[in-house]
Amino acid sequence: MSRKRNAARLAGDLGMAGFHAGITLWYRLPMMATAFATAGKADGEMTRMVGEKIAAVFEGAVDAQVETMKMAAAAVTGRLTVDDVAGACVTIAAAGLRPAFRRVKANSRRLHQIGRAHV
């Protein structure tokens, strides 16, 4: 993928992550308020929320490291181009953020379905 397309895709993914995070917060904030007010009523969702974030951090760190190693291997074998070097930061950042993007989108959809079922 070209450097410009990779950067544009990352920007689009960041924008969509913000959109999905807003939907997720819309549904989770009342759950969190209930958990604090009733001492444990929504503990399942809170535990899931924290666990997903921890998993996304570790998965993203591994994915970013794998992408870095791919670039290092390309550099050692002489297959690394100037465009690859120029777009390295975006490529590595996109790989590291991908797990978080997947989770925020999945949570947005899941919580929206739960919210519609309770209406």
Side-chain angles (χ1 to χ4, degrees):
M1 188 178 298
S2 76
R3 185 168 30 113
K4 285 183 181 179
R5 280 185 44 202
N6 208 4
R9 182 175 179 187
L10 177 60
D13 287 347
L14 283 168
M16 288 305 296
F19 170 75
H20 288 295
I23 292 171
T24 300
L25 285 173
W26 176 262
Y27 290 107
R28 275 193 174 152
L29 286 177
M31 292 177 195
M32 291 169 64
T34 302
F36 288 120
T38 60
K41 189 97 171 167
D43 282 339
E45 187 64 30
M46 299 283 279
T47 302
R48 182 178 185 159
M49 180 177 63
V50 172
E52 286 176 343
K53 285 177 179 42
I54 292 169
V57 166
F58 284 110
E59 192 177 332
V62 169
D63 289 352
Q65 185 65 32
V66 166
E67 195 62 43
T68 302
M69 294 308 291
K70 285 180 185 178
M71 289 196 160
V76 169
T77 60
R79 293 180 291 123
L80 193 66
T81 65
V82 174
D83 278 347
D84 294 335
V85 173
C89 292
V90 171
T91 303
I92 293 167
L97 289 170
R98 204 167 294 124
F101 291 159
R102 276 195 310 267
R103 282 197 175 74
V104 75
K105 186 176 182 179
N107 279 331
S108 169
R109 289 180 177 168
R110 179 180 63 80
L111 291 169
H112 181 68
Q113 292 299 325
I114 290 171
R116 287 196 325 182
H118 289 288
V119 173

